[in-house]
Amino acid sequence: MGRGDLTNAEWDRLESFLPPGGARGGRWSDHRRVINGVLYRVRTGVQWRDLPERFGPWETVYKRHRRWSADGTWKMLLSRIQAAEDAAGRIDWDVSVDSTAVRAHQNAAGARKADSRGSSKGERPGDESGRSGAAETGRPAGGGVQIGECLGRSRGGFTTKIHLAAEGRCRPLAFVLTPGHYGDGPQLEAVLEQISVPRNGVGRPRTRPDHVLADKAYTSRRNRRYLRRRGIRHTIPERLDQQKHRQNRGSRGGRPTGFDSECYKKRNTVERAINRLKGFRAVATRYEKRAYIYLGTVTLAALAIWLRT
């Protein structure tokens, strides 16, 4: 077993959830070896062609990662591990929300765009031999529910932004990708709507945190109305300009928002969760052209954090 590979205990937790066979009656290459190869690449950020030979053909490792990013296998594995942790009472449902900008490598640009018929430019409809992930597997261009390919220009350059919700033990619960120049506040609803931890047994998945903590970027009236409508307690500081505007309106300005400074100290959990994610070099720098593949990379990094925490 190499550094960073799945331990026997981690493999035992994952093995029963993995697909039993390949497409058209074929057989998958050894799941454990391939997953270790993907983990090696996510941890080190090397090019796929430079994977060590002990992981097998690099094409097999890359195609497995691309396929499982597209069909939701990585997300399913993360949900199963979260469900097991929740059933054991090991999830702290005081959730913190924040975002982090990720610099995109120059190789992340240039993804082929789909035309009105749903195929990539320069390829015949139904042709699955091209390099584009959308053309190869019939997946939508971009990150599915994400915004296009989630690449934008900001003061940091060519960037993607990860909007993250972390539970009280510094583990990622849910995340959403946007272009790097997108603001934090408008994405609060999207991030919280991604929280869905299945129950082990009868019952709908848990989607509502006990408490939400966020910084001043999330202090809009729309966000506070959304949280009140869902019955979620929250601690979000109010910006000075909002306080002055309310005071200038007198009685029409309404009551000041409540704020618990002691509870707000717990918001650092999301910062620590971001640090853990960015310990994976392929997360800290985006190399993938397709947003759904990069989302799969982030999901696998989060899965590794849940397995090893």
Side-chain angles (χ1 to χ4, degrees):
M1 187 178 71
R3 177 171 175 261
D5 289 354
L6 293 173
T7 65
N8 291 334
E10 294 164 356
W11 173 247
D12 290 341
R13 298 183 67 184
L14 287 180
E15 185 177 13
S16 61
F17 304 135
L18 295 172
R24 298 180 182 177
R27 297 182 61 184
W28 295 104
S29 296
D30 181 61
H31 281 315
R32 186 170 184 175
R33 184 178 67 173
V34 172
I35 293 175
N36 284 334
V38 181
L39 280 173
Y40 180 89
R41 189 264 173 181
V42 171
R43 181 173 59 84
T44 62
V46 300
Q47 294 187 3
W48 290 103
R49 294 174 183 267
D50 294 331
L51 283 176
E53 294 182 359
R54 66 187 179 91
F55 299 120
W58 70 266
E59 298 95 333
T60 300
V61 181
Y62 166 68
K63 290 179 180 179
R64 186 80 55 85
H65 176 55
R66 183 190 62 206
R67 180 182 297 275
W68 283 4
S69 298
D71 65 15
T73 299
W74 293 131
K75 184 176 180 180
M76 178 271 294
L77 293 174
L78 178 60
S79 296
R80 295 292 182 87
I81 297 302
Q82 289 176 343
E85 291 291 294
D86 188 40
R90 292 194 292 262
I91 292 183
D92 183 346
W93 284 95
D94 288 348
V95 173
S96 301
V97 180
D98 206 350
S99 71
T100 182
V102 174
R103 187 65 180 267
H105 193 269
Q106 60 185 4
N107 292 342
R112 299 182 182 181
K113 297 181 180 179
D115 59 20
S116 58
R117 296 173 297 177
S119 60
S120 296
K121 291 183 178 180
E123 297 183 8
R124 299 184 302 274
D127 182 10
E128 298 186 354
S129 61
R131 295 174 56 193
S132 166
E136 288 175 348
T137 58
R139 312 299 180 199
V145 299
Q146 315 303 320
I147 303 170
E149 298 301 344
C150 301
L151 290 170
R153 294 194 178 274
S154 62
R155 294 181 65 181
F158 204 38
T159 54
T160 293
K161 187 173 281 189
I162 305 174
H163 302 266
L164 177 72
E167 54 96 44
R169 297 186 178 183
C170 308
R171 295 175 295 187
L173 269 178
F175 28 82
V176 170
L177 303 184
T178 65
H181 59 279
Y182 275 47
D184 293 355
Q187 305 304 321
L188 177 68
E189 294 185 30
V191 173
L192 295 183
E193 292 293 334
Q194 290 296 313
I195 297 177
S196 180
V197 178
R199 311 277 187 178
N200 279 348
V202 180
R204 293 178 295 178
R206 175 161 184 175
T207 60
R208 186 171 63 179
D210 293 333
H211 201 111
V212 168
L213 302 98
D215 60 20
K216 293 181 180 180
Y218 299 89
T219 186
S220 67
R221 291 183 178 180
R222 175 178 178 177
N223 285 341
R224 294 183 187 274
R225 283 197 300 265
Y226 168 78
L227 292 169
R228 286 195 295 266
R229 185 171 67 250
R230 292 192 60 188
I232 300 174
R233 294 182 296 117
H234 54 278
T235 300
I236 304 176
E238 192 177 29
R239 295 199 309 266
L240 290 178
D241 62 329
Q242 291 180 328
Q243 295 177 9
K244 292 180 180 180
H245 179 66
R246 187 186 66 252
Q247 293 169 0
N248 291 338
R249 297 190 65 189
S251 60
R252 295 178 300 169
R255 294 177 296 178
T257 59
F259 178 73
D260 186 344
S261 59
E262 285 298 317
C263 183
Y264 187 68
K265 292 178 180 179
K266 197 176 180 180
R267 197 193 68 84
N268 69 83
T269 55
V270 68
E271 305 287 354
R272 290 151 64 189
I274 289 172
N275 285 340
R276 286 182 176 181
L277 275 178
K278 286 195 167 182
F280 296 85
R281 292 174 179 265
V283 174
T285 301
R286 174 178 170 177
Y287 300 100
E288 289 83 358
K289 287 180 169 58
R290 293 291 178 182
Y292 76 88
I293 301 180
Y294 181 65
L295 183 63
T297 299
V298 178
T299 304
L300 179 57
L303 175 62
I305 291 172
W306 279 85
L307 286 172
R308 296 167 180 174
T309 302

